[in-house]
Amino acid sequence: MAVTGQVVEGGFGDPVFASQSVFRAVMDAMARPGTVQAIATDAMPPAPLNAAAAAVVLALADSDTPLWLDAELAKSEAVRGWLAFHTGAPLAGTPSDAVFALAANPAAVPPLTGFALGTQEYPDRSTTLIVQVESLTGGPVLTLTGPGIETTQAIAPRPLPGHFEVQWREINGLYPRGLDLILAAPDAVICLPRTARIGNEEL
Amino acid sequence: MTIGTDDGLATYNFAYLDEQTKRMIRRAILKGIAIPGYQVPFASREMPMPYGWGTGGVQVTASIIGPDDVLKVIDQGADDTTNAVSIRAFFAKVADVETTTETAKASIIQTRHRIPEEKLKDGQILVYQVPIPEPLRFLEPRETETRKMHALAEYGLMHVKLYEDIAKNGHIATTYAYPVKVEDRYVMDPSPTPKFDNPKMHMSDALQLFGAGREKRIYAVPPHTKVVSLDFEDYPFEIQTFEEPCAMCGAQGVYLDEVILDDRGGRMFVCSDTDYCEKRREDGHRGHLAGDAMEAAE
Ligand SMILES: [Zn+2]
């Protein structure tokens, strides 16, 4: 593939400090599920990749982490080229091989149980799924409980993958196996680690 | 020992570790947070200090720290031991961060053996240096077996050990590295902190990260997470109590160290958390030996 300007441009201006600050935002988001953490980034990925999702992948993915792309991203040569150039991450053939999975179209996210869910011995060997959303507010309100949440945490991202609550409960039921979800609006993220429960039930 | 000589660190990256190593450790930290109390394997790197100096904690701190952080390092509660001073100097040099001894001012606190007395706040991160992360290691030396026990949440062996303690001593004699259960699932070693500090881990406002360098494990307890010390209905968990208050600041309900005053058997008990003790004295609190001790120090 030809290395075009669109592939080379738009990475982190200062990768060391940008990676650190994006990671800290994701860490805070993962430690406090449902809180909105701003992702201030100078990353300018090719469409339809959004800046926050791209920054998370730039900060955390590399040649050791197979990356799965949904059809909308995979069909864009610019996106594939940009991610390959800036992360070196190999593309995962199937969701179950993915350390990171990136979806631009929430409606077309494959069944969550099809991603890598880890094993009972190594539950960490599981996918971190990044789903781009239009907004982290304005959607149907979901109430989260679980570690990292003092009482309850309301979230209202939109749109979400189909049958999300049912699918997420299924993930909860596999604990400690499971996957961890990052919802990425263009300028901020919300994380749902596998411990996050929807509804007010006890963990 | 010196760390951070100009020769050894001539071409280091920000925070010493290379970016690929940081990414690997950052990924392990995120999985640790998502699975509270579970030990995530990671590829520990050589650090310019021996393992006993907390290289696991140093690698965790190096992977999370940024230019805006304020770092505090404590060893046995004190900011001024060689170990704490060296690690603080290391990060001041390789990450150019502000350091502090004041618990309330720190965004990251790296610790060996203690949790500060002052209640930690939302947004603070406590990084533990862990020598032996596996709470079942002394009961079962084989990693394949302990991993199975964690996989199945099969923790009977740990209860047997604690119960043998009771049979032998009439109480649970374990006072350090007292095992805890995290979110009703994983049994976790809180690192060699005194069991006095275990209740501070429960529902803490701060994020707690644990790094074991030699054993190559990272684990985490998110804020507001259940951390319960293992016990029995008829032998409930109890923390250490001290008969007298701190001799310097008069604090009660804090962890005290015994300090030998002279060679005639004179001794006193003072706060192990030196910052906490100093703050209290600055605020005018006095223990019964405060005057004498100050004279002795001069
Ligand atoms: Zn004191």
Side-chain angles (χ1 to χ4, degrees):
Chain A
M1 186 189 57
V3 176
T4 64
Q6 202 181 9
V7 165
V8 179
E9 301 296 314
F12 287 146
D14 187 336
V16 171
F17 293 106
S19 298
Q20 189 274 336
S21 75
V22 170
F23 162 71
R24 276 288 278 274
V26 173
M27 184 176 82
D28 286 346
M30 200 63 86
R32 295 169 183 79
T35 59
V36 175
Q37 302 290 336
I39 302 281
T41 180
D42 56 356
M44 287 190 292
L49 200 48
N50 82 27
V56 171
V57 174
L58 256 50
L60 293 168
D62 58 27
S63 57
D64 293 332
T65 59
L67 171 65
W68 180 87
L69 302 177
D70 73 353
E72 197 165 325
L73 293 168
K75 75 182 180 197
S76 162
E77 195 180 325
V79 166
R80 281 185 282 120
W82 191 85
L83 288 169
F85 180 82
H86 290 287
T87 70
L91 287 185
T94 68
S96 63
D97 295 327
V99 171
F100 291 101
L102 195 47
N105 179 7
V109 172
L112 297 185
T113 49
F115 290 94
L117 304 172
T119 64
Q120 200 71 16
E121 276 84 8
Y122 294 95
D124 57 303
R125 295 177 181 173
S126 46
T127 303
T128 300
L129 170 62
I130 304 156
V131 177
Q132 295 189 176
V133 295
E134 282 169 31
S135 174
L136 298 175
T137 58
V141 175
L142 302 176
T143 304
L144 303 182
T145 59
I149 301 170
E150 190 167 8
T151 52
T152 60
Q153 176 73 46
I155 62 168
R158 69 184 158 84
L160 284 171
H163 308 291
F164 181 70
E165 287 186 53
V166 173
Q167 289 208 66
W168 193 253
R169 287 208 176 91
E170 196 176 350
I171 292 294
N172 287 154
L174 300 172
Y175 192 81
R177 298 171 66 223
L179 62 74
D180 308 304
L181 178 63
I182 301 176
L183 299 171
D187 60 353
V189 296
I190 281 177
C191 287
L192 270 72
R194 65 196 71 188
T195 50
R197 300 237 158 196
I198 301 173
N200 294 311
E201 53 198 320
E202 288 286 297
L203 184 77
Chain B
M1 191 201 70
T2 57
I3 55 175
T5 62
D6 284 334
D7 288 344
L9 294 172
T11 56
Y12 59 83
N13 189 23
F14 173 78
Y16 187 76
L17 293 173
D18 64 90
E19 290 304 296
Q20 190 178 5
T21 298
K22 284 188 211 164
R23 276 194 300 272
M24 177 265 296
I25 293 174
R26 288 167 180 167
R27 294 192 295 262
I29 290 171
L30 294 179
K31 288 299 172 192
I33 291 170
I35 315 167
Y38 165 74
Q39 301 165 50
V40 185
F42 81 110
S44 182
R45 292 290 189 265
E46 290 292 322
M47 297 300 286
M49 58 197 77
Y51 278 124
W53 285 59
T55 57
V58 169
Q59 288 178 82
V60 169
T61 297
S63 301
I64 65 173
I65 203 163
D68 299 334
D69 278 308
V70 179
L71 177 69
K72 170 182 165 83
V73 182
I74 49 172
D75 177 12
Q76 310 272 9
D79 297 86
D80 58 357
T81 68
T82 315
N83 184 311
V85 169
S86 295
I87 292 172
R88 212 160 51 232
F90 175 75
F91 281 109
K93 182 175 174 64
V94 301
D96 194 28
V97 292
E98 190 185 332
T99 61
T100 185
T101 58
E102 294 181 48
T103 297
K105 283 191 180 164
S107 57
I108 299 174
I109 302 169
Q110 183 173 324
T111 181
R112 189 173 81 140
H113 291 187
R114 281 307 314 280
I115 299 173
E117 301 291 356
E118 192 174 333
K119 192 174 180 298
L120 297 182
K121 295 173 301 195
D122 183 29
Q124 288 185 307
I125 303 166
L126 187 58
V127 178
Y128 296 76
Q129 303 172 200
V130 181
I132 299 165
E134 178 49 71
L136 305 167
R137 183 60 70 235
F138 293 112
L139 309 170
E140 171 53 68
R142 289 167 298 179
E143 166 70 17
T144 49
E145 292 303 309
T146 55
R147 192 158 283 281
K148 244 180 249 168
M149 291 176 191
H150 287 297
L152 302 169
E154 180 54 68
Y155 294 122
L157 204 57
M158 182 60 89
H159 281 98
V160 168
K161 192 253 173 197
L162 292 175
Y163 214 88
E164 279 172 359
D165 245 27
I166 295 169
K168 209 186 312 170
N169 307 297
H171 59 97
I172 298 175
T174 305
T175 53
Y176 289 87
Y178 189 104
V180 294
K181 196 172 229 183
V182 181
E183 278 298 313
D184 301 318
R185 180 55 180 82
Y186 282 102
V187 166
M188 186 185 92
D189 190 324
S191 89
T193 48
K195 67 176 181 178
F196 181 88
D197 285 338
N198 279 18
K200 294 179 191 157
M201 308 180 83
H202 177 64
M203 296 294 174
S204 172
D205 288 343
L207 169 63
Q208 302 174 76
L209 302 176
F210 301 77
R214 190 180 46 225
E215 303 268 335
K216 304 180 171 58
R217 294 288 184 272
I218 284 170
Y219 49 106
V221 175
H224 313 298
T225 295
K226 275 172 82 174
V227 179
V228 177
S229 302
L230 299 184
D231 65 357
F232 302 93
E233 241 169 61
D234 42 348
Y235 289 92
F237 173 79
E238 286 173 351
I239 61 170
Q240 295 101 323
T241 55
F242 299 88
E243 284 171 15
E244 42 188 313
C246 170
M248 298 293 287
C249 76
Q252 288 176 311
V254 297
Y255 195 77
L256 302 179
D257 284 336
E258 186 177 351
V259 175
I260 306 296
L261 289 174
D262 53 43
D263 54 11
R264 300 183 305 275
R267 62 200 185 114
M268 65 175 180
F269 287 90
V270 296
C271 294
S272 114
D273 184 335
T274 53
D275 171 62
Y276 182 82
C277 198
E278 276 161 28
K279 280 273 144 48
R280 278 183 54 86
R281 278 178 280 147
E282 277 167 23
D283 291 346
H285 296 283
R286 285 288 177 274
H288 69 283
L289 286 177
D292 300 345
M294 280 179 187
E295 282 165 26
E298 278 160 16

